[in-house]
PDB file of all heavy atoms in Angstrom:
ATOM      1  N   GLU A   1      -3.246  59.541  25.383  1.00  0.00           N
ATOM      2  CA  GLU A   1      -4.140  60.670  25.610  1.00  0.00           C
ATOM      3  C   GLU A   1      -3.335  61.965  25.585  1.00  0.00           C
ATOM      4  O   GLU A   1      -2.265  62.038  26.187  1.00  0.00           O
ATOM      5  CB  GLU A   1      -4.855  60.556  26.959  1.00  0.00           C
ATOM      6  CG  GLU A   1      -5.597  59.228  27.155  1.00  0.00           C
ATOM      7  CD  GLU A   1      -6.012  59.000  28.592  1.00  0.00           C
ATOM      8  OE1 GLU A   1      -5.675  59.865  29.447  1.00  0.00           O
ATOM      9  OE2 GLU A   1      -6.627  57.965  28.879  1.00  0.00           O
ATOM     10  N   ALA A   2      -3.847  62.982  24.882  1.00  0.00           N
ATOM     11  CA  ALA A   2      -3.111  64.240  24.786  1.00  0.00           C
ATOM     12  C   ALA A   2      -4.073  65.417  24.787  1.00  0.00           C
ATOM     13  O   ALA A   2      -5.146  65.341  24.159  1.00  0.00           O
ATOM     14  CB  ALA A   2      -2.251  64.264  23.525  1.00  0.00           C
ATOM     15  N   THR A   3      -3.699  66.475  25.464  1.00  0.00           N
ATOM     16  CA  THR A   3      -4.423  67.743  25.403  1.00  0.00           C
ATOM     17  C   THR A   3      -3.620  68.694  24.521  1.00  0.00           C
ATOM     18  O   THR A   3      -2.457  68.980  24.803  1.00  0.00           O
ATOM     19  CB  THR A   3      -4.589  68.358  26.807  1.00  0.00           C
ATOM     20  OG1 THR A   3      -5.271  67.415  27.646  1.00  0.00           O
ATOM     21  CG2 THR A   3      -5.415  69.633  26.731  1.00  0.00           C
ATOM     22  N   LEU A   4      -4.238  69.160  23.439  1.00  0.00           N
ATOM     23  CA  LEU A   4      -3.553  70.015  22.464  1.00  0.00           C
ATOM     24  C   LEU A   4      -4.451  71.194  22.130  1.00  0.00           C
ATOM     25  O   LEU A   4      -5.527  71.008  21.556  1.00  0.00           O
ATOM     26  CB  LEU A   4      -3.204  69.202  21.211  1.00  0.00           C
ATOM     27  CG  LEU A   4      -2.551  69.956  20.058  1.00  0.00           C
ATOM     28  CD1 LEU A   4      -1.193  70.506  20.470  1.00  0.00           C
ATOM     29  CD2 LEU A   4      -2.393  69.040  18.836  1.00  0.00           C
ATOM     30  N   TRP A   5      -4.022  72.409  22.501  1.00  0.00           N
ATOM     31  CA  TRP A   5      -4.795  73.632  22.260  1.00  0.00           C
ATOM     32  C   TRP A   5      -6.224  73.501  22.801  1.00  0.00           C
ATOM     33  O   TRP A   5      -7.187  73.909  22.157  1.00  0.00           O
ATOM     34  CB  TRP A   5      -4.820  73.982  20.769  1.00  0.00           C
ATOM     35  CG  TRP A   5      -3.519  74.512  20.270  1.00  0.00           C
ATOM     36  CD1 TRP A   5      -2.617  73.867  19.480  1.00  0.00           C
ATOM     37  CD2 TRP A   5      -2.956  75.812  20.524  1.00  0.00           C
ATOM     38  NE1 TRP A   5      -1.528  74.661  19.228  1.00  0.00           N
ATOM     39  CE2 TRP A   5      -1.711  75.863  19.861  1.00  0.00           C
ATOM     40  CE3 TRP A   5      -3.370  76.919  21.248  1.00  0.00           C
ATOM     41  CZ2 TRP A   5      -0.903  76.983  19.917  1.00  0.00           C
ATOM     42  CZ3 TRP A   5      -2.569  78.039  21.292  1.00  0.00           C
ATOM     43  CH2 TRP A   5      -1.337  78.051  20.619  1.00  0.00           C
ATOM     44  N   GLY A   6      -6.380  72.874  23.965  1.00  0.00           N
ATOM     45  CA  GLY A   6      -7.674  72.758  24.606  1.00  0.00           C
ATOM     46  C   GLY A   6      -8.503  71.574  24.163  1.00  0.00           C
ATOM     47  O   GLY A   6      -9.523  71.266  24.774  1.00  0.00           O
ATOM     48  N   ASP A   7      -8.098  70.874  23.098  1.00  0.00           N
ATOM     49  CA  ASP A   7      -8.825  69.683  22.644  1.00  0.00           C
ATOM     50  C   ASP A   7      -8.259  68.447  23.326  1.00  0.00           C
ATOM     51  O   ASP A   7      -7.055  68.328  23.531  1.00  0.00           O
ATOM     52  CB  ASP A   7      -8.692  69.517  21.127  1.00  0.00           C
ATOM     53  CG  ASP A   7      -9.498  70.534  20.354  1.00  0.00           C
ATOM     54  OD1 ASP A   7     -10.598  70.881  20.822  1.00  0.00           O
ATOM     55  OD2 ASP A   7      -9.035  70.977  19.290  1.00  0.00           O
ATOM     56  N   GLU A   8      -9.161  67.491  23.612  1.00  0.00           N
ATOM     57  CA  GLU A   8      -8.766  66.227  24.205  1.00  0.00           C
ATOM     58  C   GLU A   8      -8.731  65.162  23.120  1.00  0.00           C
ATOM     59  O   GLU A   8      -9.765  64.811  22.553  1.00  0.00           O
ATOM     60  CB  GLU A   8      -9.754  65.828  25.318  1.00  0.00           C
ATOM     61  CG  GLU A   8      -9.913  66.863  26.420  1.00  0.00           C
ATOM     62  CD  GLU A   8      -8.633  67.065  27.232  1.00  0.00           C
ATOM     63  OE1 GLU A   8      -7.819  66.120  27.300  1.00  0.00           O
ATOM     64  OE2 GLU A   8      -8.439  68.163  27.784  1.00  0.00           O
ATOM     65  N   TRP A   9      -7.545  64.656  22.832  1.00  0.00           N
ATOM     66  CA  TRP A   9      -7.360  63.592  21.832  1.00  0.00           C
ATOM     67  C   TRP A   9      -7.049  62.292  22.544  1.00  0.00           C
ATOM     68  O   TRP A   9      -6.204  62.244  23.418  1.00  0.00           O
ATOM     69  CB  TRP A   9      -6.207  63.954  20.888  1.00  0.00           C
ATOM     70  CG  TRP A   9      -6.457  65.133  20.005  1.00  0.00           C
ATOM     71  CD1 TRP A   9      -6.193  66.443  20.297  1.00  0.00           C
ATOM     72  CD2 TRP A   9      -7.018  65.133  18.702  1.00  0.00           C
ATOM     73  NE1 TRP A   9      -6.545  67.249  19.254  1.00  0.00           N
ATOM     74  CE2 TRP A   9      -7.060  66.473  18.247  1.00  0.00           C
ATOM     75  CE3 TRP A   9      -7.480  64.132  17.844  1.00  0.00           C
ATOM     76  CZ2 TRP A   9      -7.545  66.831  17.005  1.00  0.00           C
ATOM     77  CZ3 TRP A   9      -7.967  64.481  16.603  1.00  0.00           C
ATOM     78  CH2 TRP A   9      -7.998  65.813  16.185  1.00  0.00           C
ATOM     79  N   VAL A  10      -7.750  61.221  22.141  1.00  0.00           N
ATOM     80  CA  VAL A  10      -7.527  59.897  22.724  1.00  0.00           C
ATOM     81  C   VAL A  10      -7.322  58.893  21.601  1.00  0.00           C
ATOM     82  O   VAL A  10      -8.196  58.719  20.744  1.00  0.00           O
ATOM     83  CB  VAL A  10      -8.717  59.464  23.619  1.00  0.00           C
ATOM     84  CG1 VAL A  10      -8.482  58.056  24.145  1.00  0.00           C
ATOM     85  CG2 VAL A  10      -8.920  60.435  24.766  1.00  0.00           C
ATOM     86  N   PHE A  11      -6.160  58.253  21.602  1.00  0.00           N
ATOM     87  CA  PHE A  11      -5.831  57.182  20.658  1.00  0.00           C
ATOM     88  C   PHE A  11      -6.007  55.847  21.397  1.00  0.00           C
ATOM     89  O   PHE A  11      -5.338  55.616  22.406  1.00  0.00           O
ATOM     90  CB  PHE A  11      -4.414  57.310  20.152  1.00  0.00           C
ATOM     91  CG  PHE A  11      -4.152  58.485  19.261  1.00  0.00           C
ATOM     92  CD1 PHE A  11      -4.122  59.781  19.780  1.00  0.00           C
ATOM     93  CD2 PHE A  11      -3.911  58.308  17.908  1.00  0.00           C
ATOM     94  CE1 PHE A  11      -3.888  60.864  18.957  1.00  0.00           C
ATOM     95  CE2 PHE A  11      -3.676  59.396  17.081  1.00  0.00           C
ATOM     96  CZ  PHE A  11      -3.656  60.685  17.603  1.00  0.00           C
ATOM     97  N   ALA A  12      -6.876  54.984  20.894  1.00  0.00           N
ATOM     98  CA  ALA A  12      -7.116  53.674  21.502  1.00  0.00           C
ATOM     99  C   ALA A  12      -6.650  52.587  20.542  1.00  0.00           C
ATOM    100  O   ALA A  12      -7.124  52.533  19.390  1.00  0.00           O
ATOM    101  CB  ALA A  12      -8.578  53.489  21.839  1.00  0.00           C
ATOM    102  N   ARG A  13      -5.720  51.766  20.989  1.00  0.00           N
ATOM    103  CA  ARG A  13      -5.192  50.687  20.141  1.00  0.00           C
ATOM    104  C   ARG A  13      -6.324  49.765  19.722  1.00  0.00           C
ATOM    105  O   ARG A  13      -7.156  49.351  20.518  1.00  0.00           O
ATOM    106  CB  ARG A  13      -4.117  49.901  20.883  1.00  0.00           C
ATOM    107  CG  ARG A  13      -3.513  48.770  20.074  1.00  0.00           C
ATOM    108  CD  ARG A  13      -2.507  47.999  20.907  1.00  0.00           C
ATOM    109  NE  ARG A  13      -1.255  48.740  21.043  1.00  0.00           N
ATOM    110  CZ  ARG A  13      -0.199  48.609  20.220  1.00  0.00           C
ATOM    111  NH1 ARG A  13      -0.276  47.745  19.210  1.00  0.00           N
ATOM    112  NH2 ARG A  13       0.891  49.301  20.409  1.00  0.00           N
ATOM    113  N   ARG A  14      -6.342  49.466  18.428  1.00  0.00           N
ATOM    114  CA  ARG A  14      -7.433  48.660  17.869  1.00  0.00           C
ATOM    115  C   ARG A  14      -7.064  47.190  17.738  1.00  0.00           C
ATOM    116  O   ARG A  14      -7.910  46.332  17.761  1.00  0.00           O
ATOM    117  CB  ARG A  14      -7.831  49.226  16.526  1.00  0.00           C
ATOM    118  CG  ARG A  14      -9.250  48.952  16.123  1.00  0.00           C
ATOM    119  CD  ARG A  14      -9.641  49.739  14.889  1.00  0.00           C
ATOM    120  NE  ARG A  14      -8.699  49.589  13.790  1.00  0.00           N
ATOM    121  CZ  ARG A  14      -8.517  50.483  12.829  1.00  0.00           C
ATOM    122  NH1 ARG A  14      -9.164  51.620  12.859  1.00  0.00           N
ATOM    123  NH2 ARG A  14      -7.665  50.282  11.849  1.00  0.00           N
ATOM    124  N   LEU A  15      -5.800  46.901  17.564  1.00  0.00           N
ATOM    125  CA  LEU A  15      -5.370  45.527  17.380  1.00  0.00           C
ATOM    126  C   LEU A  15      -3.884  45.429  17.651  1.00  0.00           C
ATOM    127  O   LEU A  15      -3.177  46.453  17.745  1.00  0.00           O
ATOM    128  CB  LEU A  15      -5.677  45.026  15.976  1.00  0.00           C
ATOM    129  CG  LEU A  15      -4.904  45.636  14.787  1.00  0.00           C
ATOM    130  CD1 LEU A  15      -5.149  44.807  13.546  1.00  0.00           C
ATOM    131  CD2 LEU A  15      -5.292  47.059  14.506  1.00  0.00           C
ATOM    132  N   ILE A  16      -3.409  44.216  17.781  1.00  0.00           N
ATOM    133  CA  ILE A  16      -1.988  43.993  18.026  1.00  0.00           C
ATOM    134  C   ILE A  16      -1.223  44.226  16.732  1.00  0.00           C
ATOM    135  O   ILE A  16      -1.806  44.198  15.645  1.00  0.00           O
ATOM    136  CB  ILE A  16      -1.712  42.581  18.570  1.00  0.00           C
ATOM    137  CG1 ILE A  16      -2.187  41.533  17.559  1.00  0.00           C
ATOM    138  CG2 ILE A  16      -2.384  42.371  19.907  1.00  0.00           C
ATOM    139  CD1 ILE A  16      -1.859  40.121  17.965  1.00  0.00           C
ATOM    140  N   PRO A  17       0.123  44.443  16.797  1.00  0.00           N
ATOM    141  CA  PRO A  17       0.873  44.698  15.564  1.00  0.00           C
ATOM    142  C   PRO A  17       0.771  43.541  14.585  1.00  0.00           C
ATOM    143  O   PRO A  17       0.757  42.376  14.967  1.00  0.00           O
ATOM    144  CB  PRO A  17       2.312  44.856  16.076  1.00  0.00           C
ATOM    145  CG  PRO A  17       2.173  45.219  17.497  1.00  0.00           C
ATOM    146  CD  PRO A  17       0.945  44.549  17.994  1.00  0.00           C
ATOM    147  N   VAL A  18       0.671  43.883  13.316  1.00  0.00           N
ATOM    148  CA  VAL A  18       0.664  42.899  12.246  1.00  0.00           C
ATOM    149  C   VAL A  18       1.990  42.993  11.515  1.00  0.00           C
ATOM    150  O   VAL A  18       2.331  44.042  10.975  1.00  0.00           O
ATOM    151  CB  VAL A  18      -0.497  43.152  11.260  1.00  0.00           C
ATOM    152  CG1 VAL A  18      -0.431  42.167  10.102  1.00  0.00           C
ATOM    153  CG2 VAL A  18      -1.834  43.041  11.979  1.00  0.00           C
ATOM    154  N   LEU A  19       2.732  41.887  11.506  1.00  0.00           N
ATOM    155  CA  LEU A  19       4.007  41.916  10.806  1.00  0.00           C
ATOM    156  C   LEU A  19       3.741  41.713   9.325  1.00  0.00           C
ATOM    157  O   LEU A  19       3.201  40.696   8.901  1.00  0.00           O
ATOM    158  CB  LEU A  19       4.913  40.807  11.340  1.00  0.00           C
ATOM    159  CG  LEU A  19       5.309  40.984  12.814  1.00  0.00           C
ATOM    160  CD1 LEU A  19       6.199  39.829  13.240  1.00  0.00           C
ATOM    161  CD2 LEU A  19       6.018  42.298  13.031  1.00  0.00           C
ATOM    162  N   ALA A  20       4.105  42.699   8.553  1.00  0.00           N
ATOM    163  CA  ALA A  20       3.806  42.698   7.111  1.00  0.00           C
ATOM    164  C   ALA A  20       5.084  42.806   6.334  1.00  0.00           C
ATOM    165  O   ALA A  20       5.362  43.803   5.694  1.00  0.00           O
ATOM    166  CB  ALA A  20       2.860  43.824   6.757  1.00  0.00           C
ATOM    167  N   GLY A  21       5.879  41.794   6.391  1.00  0.00           N
ATOM    168  CA  GLY A  21       7.126  41.779   5.648  1.00  0.00           C
ATOM    169  C   GLY A  21       6.898  41.383   4.213  1.00  0.00           C
ATOM    170  O   GLY A  21       5.787  41.028   3.802  1.00  0.00           O
ATOM    171  N   PRO A  22       7.942  41.436   3.389  1.00  0.00           N
ATOM    172  CA  PRO A  22       7.777  41.014   2.001  1.00  0.00           C
ATOM    173  C   PRO A  22       7.473  39.530   1.905  1.00  0.00           C
ATOM    174  O   PRO A  22       8.158  38.712   2.507  1.00  0.00           O
ATOM    175  CB  PRO A  22       9.159  41.352   1.372  1.00  0.00           C
ATOM    176  CG  PRO A  22      10.087  41.384   2.520  1.00  0.00           C
ATOM    177  CD  PRO A  22       9.303  41.834   3.701  1.00  0.00           C
ATOM    178  N   ARG A  23       6.430  39.190   1.185  1.00  0.00           N
ATOM    179  CA  ARG A  23       6.029  37.803   1.051  1.00  0.00           C
ATOM    180  C   ARG A  23       6.058  37.395  -0.406  1.00  0.00           C
ATOM    181  O   ARG A  23       5.573  38.140  -1.271  1.00  0.00           O
ATOM    182  CB  ARG A  23       4.617  37.592   1.605  1.00  0.00           C
ATOM    183  CG  ARG A  23       4.490  37.928   3.083  1.00  0.00           C
ATOM    184  CD  ARG A  23       3.058  37.828   3.522  1.00  0.00           C
ATOM    185  NE  ARG A  23       2.923  38.194   4.927  1.00  0.00           N
ATOM    186  CZ  ARG A  23       1.760  38.327   5.537  1.00  0.00           C
ATOM    187  NH1 ARG A  23       0.637  38.126   4.870  1.00  0.00           N
ATOM    188  NH2 ARG A  23       1.694  38.655   6.813  1.00  0.00           N
ATOM    189  N   PRO A  24       6.600  36.231  -0.739  1.00  0.00           N
ATOM    190  CA  PRO A  24       6.617  35.808  -2.133  1.00  0.00           C
ATOM    191  C   PRO A  24       5.210  35.508  -2.622  1.00  0.00           C
ATOM    192  O   PRO A  24       4.392  34.927  -1.896  1.00  0.00           O
ATOM    193  CB  PRO A  24       7.483  34.546  -2.104  1.00  0.00           C
ATOM    194  CG  PRO A  24       7.380  34.052  -0.701  1.00  0.00           C
ATOM    195  CD  PRO A  24       7.222  35.251   0.152  1.00  0.00           C
ATOM    196  N   SER A  25       4.883  35.952  -3.827  1.00  0.00           N
ATOM    197  CA  SER A  25       3.572  35.697  -4.400  1.00  0.00           C
ATOM    198  C   SER A  25       3.661  34.543  -5.389  1.00  0.00           C
ATOM    199  O   SER A  25       4.726  34.270  -5.949  1.00  0.00           O
ATOM    200  CB  SER A  25       3.044  36.929  -5.112  1.00  0.00           C
ATOM    201  OG  SER A  25       3.958  37.347  -6.099  1.00  0.00           O
ATOM    202  N   PRO A  26       2.538  33.834  -5.629  1.00  0.00           N
ATOM    203  CA  PRO A  26       2.573  32.735  -6.586  1.00  0.00           C
ATOM    204  C   PRO A  26       2.956  33.232  -7.963  1.00  0.00           C
ATOM    205  O   PRO A  26       2.643  34.365  -8.340  1.00  0.00           O
ATOM    206  CB  PRO A  26       1.124  32.224  -6.567  1.00  0.00           C
ATOM    207  CG  PRO A  26       0.546  32.731  -5.284  1.00  0.00           C
ATOM    208  CD  PRO A  26       1.246  34.009  -5.000  1.00  0.00           C
ATOM    209  N   PRO A  27       3.684  32.424  -8.735  1.00  0.00           N
ATOM    210  CA  PRO A  27       4.089  32.853 -10.077  1.00  0.00           C
ATOM    211  C   PRO A  27       2.869  33.032 -10.978  1.00  0.00           C
ATOM    212  O   PRO A  27       1.830  32.419 -10.782  1.00  0.00           O
ATOM    213  CB  PRO A  27       4.989  31.709 -10.553  1.00  0.00           C
ATOM    214  CG  PRO A  27       4.568  30.531  -9.744  1.00  0.00           C
ATOM    215  CD  PRO A  27       4.141  31.072  -8.422  1.00  0.00           C
ATOM    216  N   THR A  28       3.018  33.897 -11.976  1.00  0.00           N
ATOM    217  CA  THR A  28       1.937  34.156 -12.924  1.00  0.00           C
ATOM    218  C   THR A  28       2.447  33.980 -14.331  1.00  0.00           C
ATOM    219  O   THR A  28       3.636  34.135 -14.624  1.00  0.00           O
ATOM    220  CB  THR A  28       1.396  35.590 -12.772  1.00  0.00           C
ATOM    221  OG1 THR A  28       2.483  36.498 -12.997  1.00  0.00           O
ATOM    222  CG2 THR A  28       0.834  35.817 -11.386  1.00  0.00           C
ATOM    223  N   ARG A  29       1.506  33.638 -15.225  1.00  0.00           N
ATOM    224  CA  ARG A  29       1.849  33.644 -16.655  1.00  0.00           C
ATOM    225  C   ARG A  29       1.971  35.087 -17.125  1.00  0.00           C
ATOM    226  O   ARG A  29       1.356  35.974 -16.562  1.00  0.00           O
ATOM    227  CB  ARG A  29       0.741  32.945 -17.446  1.00  0.00           C
ATOM    228  CG  ARG A  29       0.623  31.449 -17.161  1.00  0.00           C
ATOM    229  CD  ARG A  29      -0.263  30.825 -18.237  1.00  0.00           C
ATOM    230  NE  ARG A  29      -0.433  29.411 -17.996  1.00  0.00           N
ATOM    231  CZ  ARG A  29      -1.541  28.877 -17.487  1.00  0.00           C
ATOM    232  NH1 ARG A  29      -2.549  29.664 -17.164  1.00  0.00           N
ATOM    233  NH2 ARG A  29      -1.625  27.597 -17.303  1.00  0.00           N
ATOM    234  N   PRO A  30       2.748  35.363 -18.171  1.00  0.00           N
ATOM    235  CA  PRO A  30       2.908  36.748 -18.627  1.00  0.00           C
ATOM    236  C   PRO A  30       1.584  37.421 -18.959  1.00  0.00           C
ATOM    237  O   PRO A  30       1.402  38.600 -18.723  1.00  0.00           O
ATOM    238  CB  PRO A  30       3.808  36.606 -19.869  1.00  0.00           C
ATOM    239  CG  PRO A  30       4.522  35.319 -19.672  1.00  0.00           C
ATOM    240  CD  PRO A  30       3.576  34.414 -18.916  1.00  0.00           C
ATOM    241  N   ASP A  31       0.641  36.666 -19.537  1.00  0.00           N
ATOM    242  CA  ASP A  31      -0.618  37.284 -19.953  1.00  0.00           C
ATOM    243  C   ASP A  31      -1.826  36.505 -19.427  1.00  0.00           C
ATOM    244  O   ASP A  31      -2.896  36.514 -20.029  1.00  0.00           O
ATOM    245  CB  ASP A  31      -0.695  37.360 -21.472  1.00  0.00           C
ATOM    246  CG  ASP A  31      -0.486  35.997 -22.130  1.00  0.00           C
ATOM    247  OD1 ASP A  31      -0.157  35.035 -21.389  1.00  0.00           O
ATOM    248  OD2 ASP A  31      -0.686  35.912 -23.341  1.00  0.00           O
ATOM    249  N   GLY A  32      -1.640  35.853 -18.326  1.00  0.00           N
ATOM    250  CA  GLY A  32      -2.742  35.039 -17.828  1.00  0.00           C
ATOM    251  C   GLY A  32      -2.917  35.154 -16.341  1.00  0.00           C
ATOM    252  O   GLY A  32      -2.219  35.926 -15.675  1.00  0.00           O
TER     253      GLY A  32
END
């Protein structure tokens, strides 16, 4: 919660952290 220039701003966490590291993707054909 923050007061900035008279405005009241409230940030509410929506979800827990999601770890999004690099993940290998399935191989693909060059043109398929």
Side-chain angles (χ1 to χ4, degrees):
E1 306 167 358
T3 303
L4 177 63
W5 287 106
D7 288 324
E8 303 294 334
W9 293 88
V10 177
F11 291 71
R13 180 182 284 267
R14 206 170 52 205
L15 68 169
I16 60 176
V18 176
L19 296 180
R23 299 174 182 173
S25 57
T28 59
R29 293 194 181 104
D31 55 353

